[in-house]
Amino acid sequence: MPGSNAAPLPVAFDGGAAGQWRVDAIMPVIGASLPDAAFVAVRDARADDGPPPADGWRLQGFTSNLRYTKRRESEALIARQAGLGRPAASCAALIPITKSPAWWAMAQDERRAVFEAQSRHIAIGLDYLPGVARRLHHSRDLGEAFDFLTWFEFAPEETPAFDAMLARLRATPEWAFVDREVDIRLTRV
């Protein structure tokens, strides 16, 4: 479970001609998009599966501790968060995000203030649990093109709620610090 003391899980998202998730749309929200891909394969990156797809792209990240979350928020997330891989959750979204240099120039307590005190990021997310399950992957420390890769899974009937959650988050002060965001919508095959 994210936020636990479990070892970090390295994850790779390979966009290309094969994978367990069919790409329905790749939409640039802020900045440049990603090249088109027909499928996304999500895999444990501890196994060496060779180079990225020749016909696509690879995004990599790892799970980590909850960095901007207080204990009561962490407990609320863990209590309400549904697991990934639920059979009914046949829809997914992969949202890679890069934050601005101004974001990273702030101290962690200043980022926390923007993240939750001003933007209510955690509180907004809690409003959509357990219907929308999520897992955050950190990529900045790996020198990747994106800072974060957020993976969401939900049932088709939760799509309007998921879209409402994204609209609320994107309207917050935190999103003034986003330099690049791509919204990749997927369906399990």
Side-chain angles (χ1 to χ4, degrees), residues 21-93:
W21 294 90
R22 182 188 72 237
V23 174
D24 299 322
I26 298 178
M27 303 168 285
V29 179
I30 300 170
S33 189
L34 285 167
D36 286 338
F39 295 91
V40 170
V42 182
R43 63 179 185 78
D44 180 336
R46 290 177 291 198
D48 182 12
D49 285 345
D55 59 345
W57 40 263
R58 174 173 290 161
L59 303 177
Q60 297 182 103
F62 60 91
T63 61
S64 184
N65 60 304
L66 298 174
R67 298 181 183 187
Y68 301 123
T69 309
K70 293 183 177 180
R71 178 168 304 281
R72 66 178 169 70
E73 295 163 340
S74 177
E75 290 169 351
L77 287 167
I78 290 168
R80 294 182 62 189
Q81 170 81 30
L84 298 176
R86 297 172 293 158
S90 60
C91 296

Side-chain angles (χ1 to χ4, degrees), residues 151-166:
W151 177 256
F152 299 93
E153 292 180 9
F154 47 94
E157 61 271 14
E158 294 291 337
T159 301
F162 179 71
D163 289 336
M165 179 188 73
L166 290 181

Side-chain angles (χ1 to χ4, degrees), residues 54-147:
D55 59 345
W57 40 263
R58 174 173 290 161
L59 303 177
Q60 297 182 103
F62 60 91
T63 61
S64 184
N65 60 304
L66 298 174
R67 298 181 183 187
Y68 301 123
T69 309
K70 293 183 177 180
R71 178 168 304 281
R72 66 178 169 70
E73 295 163 340
S74 177
E75 290 169 351
L77 287 167
I78 290 168
R80 294 182 62 189
Q81 170 81 30
L84 298 176
R86 297 172 293 158
S90 60
C91 296
L94 172 60
I95 302 184
I97 290 179
T98 300
K99 295 279 184 91
S100 69
W103 176 262
W104 296 110
M106 290 189 286
Q108 184 156 328
D109 64 323
E110 294 170 315
R111 291 193 304 268
R112 159 70 193 188
V114 174
F115 178 81
E116 189 59 24
Q118 296 173 27
S119 299
R120 302 186 33 79
H121 189 118
I122 297 166
I124 290 170
L126 280 166
D127 287 345
Y128 298 91
L129 297 178
V132 176
R134 60 102 185 104
R135 184 171 66 193
L136 179 65
H137 307 86
H138 297 267
S139 300
R140 178 179 170 80
D141 296 339
L142 300 175
E144 294 287 310
F146 293 95
D147 295 330

